[in-house]
Amino acid sequence: MTSLDVSWHAVHRMMDETRRRPTFSAVWSLRLALFSGALAISGIVLHRFLGLSTPVLLNVLKAAFVGGGLALLLALVAIVRIWFTGRSGGAAAFGGLLFSLALFAWPAYYIPVVRDLPAINDVTTDLHAPPPMSALANLRGPGANPADYPGEHFVEMQAVAYPDLQPFLLSRPVDEAFEIAAQTVRRLKYEVVSETPPGGSFEQPGYIEAVDRTLIIGFPDDVVIRVMGDSETSQIDVRSASRYGQHDLGQNASRIRTFFAELRKVLDSSVPAAAEADNARSKGRATQQRRGGRGRGDRRN
């Protein structure tokens, strides 16, 4: 065997070893995709259960999506190289591709929602005088949305997108309506921040300020419930506003609908008790009238 043959065999062995070794892009696409997914999940868990602040979580998610995008790009490069060169690493490349796509499947799910719903983050049943934030305003730190209602451009978009959101009117005294609203808040497990009972007239409404969190990630949304009325009728208005983010994905409107649906259940459950009380009062008055009639008859006799 000549030296040329030896060199040729050595080159062949090197080429075979190179083909058997996975490509750099395939290996790192999988590693980066797994790391990005773990980073996103860890951030969500820490935020939901261990008190990680929302601004920090948002930065963590941004980093995770950047990593996922880079992993997707590396996976595509690896697949092309493997196709043309026959290098190994197909499993790693497809793994990186699938894991990175899985990471982006979550935000991609909301693309139709973003397309169909307006980019607003503050929704109210009273577009002309939204319930103001008082105690909740102190919870909105740096990076959070302003506590004041955004203004007319939100009014126009909400009126078109959510025409069903209107004040809740009921034929109950304002004190009773406030208690019904407070009971609804407790049943929905909102975190109550402040509670101010009404003064008994439309000029002195009562307020409940509370925090509700999204189911999975636990983003905090602020809720203000205003109850005003008199001794006969009442009006309940609700304002739900995202503390962070420019698009609420319809969450605030859905929350108000859920609140009113639960309030109707509380209201319906209180009707029998109210009816029984009315019946008891009616029976009491009838008994007094009968007794009074007998007493007057005895005196006349």
Side-chain angles (χ1 to χ4, degrees):
M1 181 178 293
T2 64
S3 60
L4 182 60
D5 292 333
V6 173
S7 300
W8 183 249
H9 283 295
V11 170
H12 267 285
R13 283 197 301 271
M14 291 177 60
M15 292 177 63
D16 289 339
E17 290 176 0
T18 301
R19 289 192 184 97
R20 287 194 297 269
R21 192 165 55 243
T23 63
F24 173 88
S25 53
V27 173
W28 279 97
S29 69
L30 179 59
R31 291 177 179 176
L32 195 54
L34 291 174
F35 174 77
S36 300
L39 182 64
I41 293 173
S42 300
I44 291 172
V45 171
L46 290 173
H47 180 266
R48 190 70 178 87
F49 300 106
L50 298 177
L52 182 70
S53 67
T54 302
V56 173
L57 172 65
L58 293 175
N59 289 329
V60 168
L61 292 178
K62 289 177 183 177
F65 286 125
V66 169
L70 184 56
L72 179 61
L73 180 61
L74 288 174
L76 294 175
V77 171
I79 291 172
V80 171
R81 291 191 63 185
I82 291 169
W83 178 266
F84 285 103
T85 65
R87 292 278 299 273
S88 63
F94 278 104
L97 179 66
L98 292 177
F99 281 115
S100 58
L101 288 176
L103 180 63
F104 285 105
W106 168 40
Y109 172 80
Y110 291 100
I111 290 177
V113 179
V114 173
R115 182 191 61 213
D116 296 337
L117 295 180
I120 58 178
N121 53 22
D122 200 328
V123 177
T124 177
T125 57
D126 190 341
L127 295 174
H128 303 290
M133 293 185 191
S134 179
L136 287 172
N138 299 325
L139 301 180
R140 297 204 164 198
N145 295 322
D148 294 334
Y149 186 73
E152 288 298 324
H153 60 294
F154 270 38
V155 170
E156 296 172 359
M157 288 189 286
Q158 180 186 323
V160 174
Y162 311 121
D164 59 307
L165 299 183
Q166 300 292 331
F168 194 98
L169 306 177
L170 63 163
S171 300
R172 297 288 185 93
V174 64
D175 292 336
E176 186 176 343
F178 185 83
E179 178 54 35
I180 291 173
Q183 186 176 349
T184 304
V185 168
R186 291 192 293 269
R187 290 178 61 160
L188 292 173
K189 294 181 171 55
Y190 293 173
E191 303 170 22
V192 177
V193 176
S194 174
E195 191 170 314
T196 306
S201 67
F202 278 92
E203 289 73 24
Q204 295 177 301
Y207 290 95
I208 301 173
E209 297 185 63
V211 178
D212 187 27
R213 295 183 179 273
T214 58
L215 180 61
I216 298 176
I217 301 182
F219 284 131
D221 292 337
D222 297 323
V223 183
V224 184
I225 300 156
R226 180 178 63 201
V227 183
M228 55 185 178
D230 50 29
S231 59
E232 296 182 356
T233 60
S234 302
Q235 174 177 319
I236 299 176
D237 286 293
V238 181
R239 177 186 172 193
S240 179
S242 303
R243 194 176 297 178
Y244 298 93
Q246 301 305 309
H247 200 307
D248 66 359
L249 305 175
Q251 181 68 36
N252 289 306
S254 177
R255 179 177 293 109
I256 293 177
R257 294 189 187 105
T258 300
F259 180 85
F260 281 155
E262 190 66 28
L263 188 142
R264 290 187 183 93
K265 294 179 183 178
V266 175
L267 191 61
D268 291 341
S269 65
S270 69
V271 168
E276 290 177 5
D278 290 340
N279 290 335
R281 285 194 293 269
S282 299
K283 290 179 180 178
R285 286 194 296 268
T287 302
Q288 290 176 356
Q289 290 174 357
R290 287 196 298 270
R291 289 176 179 174
R294 286 198 298 269
R296 287 191 296 270
D298 291 341
R299 284 193 294 272
R300 282 196 300 270
N301 291 334

